[in-house]
Amino acid sequence: MKKEVNILTHTAEVVLTEEQRSAVEILKEKHRAQDLKEGLAQETLDEPISGDQPTQEIGEGTSGNNNTEGITEESGGALWDIFRREDVPKLEAYLRKHVKEFRHTYCSPVEQVVHPIHDQCFYLTSEHKRKLKQEYGIEPWTFEQKLGEAVFIPAGCPHQVRNLKSCTKVAVDFVSPENIHECLRLTQEFRLLPKNHRAREDKLEIKKMILYAVEQVIKDARNLLT
């Protein structure tokens, strides 16, 4: 519901041993078998379908799995997808339509969707992004974040991020004057969520910030007149 700046402060290559690679392949096979058993297999999907925490997710702040296939040492530390806020209705429609194709924690199916974005339980793979563009005509800005770079995420723009390497990041939320209207809209949207929903809490308290800002402006104006 706010702007965010995310700075990549450290990256490190993680070299997998043959034993670890074997374990990963075994796990992939188990996931494919589960998909086939549940009738959810994707014919062209060569990436594991996964979510981040519960996320999002696509949503505000989603992290994906750490698949390192095709990544070189020159590549960035994180892969970002950021959607325009104007495309949110179409993105939500896609997620609701294809909800059964996603996996969440412990590769469990997504059983319930309260809000496709705020639930933070979807991660769009390259195949899903292709289908999203084909079916709804929208696509995200996709780019790699390199060491030392800062990513600014506009308020109200759903996004997801997948670490390509072992990373340390610093993230700061803030409110900018030009996005006050969007922050207020999202605050109202959060209030419609169930009481126990993880996104319901208004961490920034935007209305209080506006009140304090107006109070400070009045004080400054009075000081100028005295």
Side-chain angles (χ1 to χ4, degrees), residues 135-155:
E135 296 179 18
Y136 290 88
I138 65 172
E139 59 183 332
W141 291 295
T142 300
F143 57 91
E144 288 187 4
Q145 182 186 20
K146 299 184 183 300
L147 180 63
E149 291 183 340
V151 174
F152 284 84
I153 306 160

Side-chain angles (χ1 to χ4, degrees), residues 211-225:
L211 180 62
Y212 290 137
V214 171
E215 181 183 32
Q216 187 61 47
V217 168
I218 294 174
K219 289 181 179 179
D220 291 343
R222 286 175 177 172
N223 290 337
L224 290 174
L225 296 175

Side-chain angles (χ1 to χ4, degrees), residues 3 31 36 41 71 76 85 104 127 142 178 189 208 225:
K3 267 192 171 183
H31 289 177
L36 290 172
I71 297 170
R85 63 172 68 121
H104 193 33
E127 174 64 15
T142 300
E178 66 270 17
E189 190 173 281
K208 286 185 179 180
L225 296 175

Side-chain angles (χ1 to χ4, degrees), residues 14 42 114 150 181 187 199 208 210:
V14 178
Q42 304 296 301
V114 176
H181 65 288
T187 296
K208 286 185 179 180
I210 295 174

Side-chain angles (χ1 to χ4, degrees), residues 5-226:
V5 57
N6 185 298
I7 304 172
L8 185 56
T9 58
H10 173 78
T11 64
E13 292 284 351
V14 178
V15 180
L16 299 180
T17 64
E18 287 302 320
E19 182 180 0
Q20 291 172 323
R21 291 183 183 277
S22 177
V24 169
E25 290 303 319
I26 292 174
L27 184 59
K28 285 182 178 181
E29 288 300 323
K30 289 182 179 179
H31 289 177
R32 292 191 188 101
Q34 180 179 351
D35 280 346
L36 290 172
K37 181 179 179 179
E38 298 177 6
L40 305 178
Q42 304 296 301
E43 293 182 358
T44 59
L45 200 58
D46 57 2
E47 294 178 291
I49 300 176
S50 60
D52 129 73
Q53 334 162 354
T55 201
Q56 254 148 353
E57 128 179 3
I58 191 160
E60 303 229 3
T62 298
S63 298
N65 58 63
N66 290 322
N67 181 4
T68 57
E69 182 177 354
I71 297 170
T72 65
E73 291 187 5
E74 292 74 24
S75 64
L79 180 67
W80 287 81
D81 295 295
I82 302 179
F83 288 85
R84 303 188 311 162
R85 63 172 68 121
E86 295 90 338
D87 294 334
V88 168
K90 292 182 179 180
L91 176 60
E92 291 183 2
Y94 177 87
L95 293 173
R96 290 187 184 279
K97 178 181 177 181
H98 295 276
V99 59
K100 293 186 179 296
E101 300 173 12
F102 290 87
R103 290 287 184 270
H104 193 33
T105 308
Y106 303 118
C107 201
S108 302
V110 179
E111 299 290 348
Q112 180 184 23
V113 178
V114 176
H115 191 288
I117 306 299
H118 302 320
D119 286 0
Q120 300 186 9
C121 58
F122 298 111
Y123 183 87
L124 294 177
T125 63
S126 57
E127 174 64 15
H128 274 295
K129 286 185 285 185
R130 183 192 64 78
K131 291 168 61 176
L132 175 63
K133 183 177 181 180
Q134 182 181 55
E135 296 179 18
Y136 290 88
I138 65 172
E139 59 183 332
W141 291 295
T142 300
F143 57 91
E144 288 187 4
Q145 182 186 20
K146 299 184 183 300
L147 180 63
E149 291 183 340
V151 174
F152 284 84
I153 306 160
C157 291
H159 55 280
Q160 63 181 20
V161 58
R162 177 163 65 95
N163 289 340
L164 304 178
K165 301 176 182 178
S166 178
C167 297
T168 301
K169 305 175 185 178
V170 176
V172 179
D173 299 332
F174 65 97
V175 175
S176 57
E178 66 270 17
N179 283 299
I180 289 292
H181 65 288
E182 182 66 17
C183 292
L184 290 172
R185 184 192 69 78
L186 287 168
T187 296
Q188 186 60 34
E189 190 173 281
F190 289 159
R191 289 178 178 174
L192 300 178
L193 298 173
K195 289 185 178 181
N196 61 345
H197 197 282
R198 57 172 301 178
R200 184 178 172 86
E201 182 183 358
D202 182 4
K203 300 179 178 64
L204 289 180
E205 299 184 318
I206 186 65
K207 291 185 178 180
K208 286 185 179 180
M209 294 177 65
I210 295 174
L211 180 62
Y212 290 137
V214 171
E215 181 183 32
Q216 187 61 47
V217 168
I218 294 174
K219 289 181 179 179
D220 291 343
R222 286 175 177 172
N223 290 337
L224 290 174
L225 296 175
T226 57

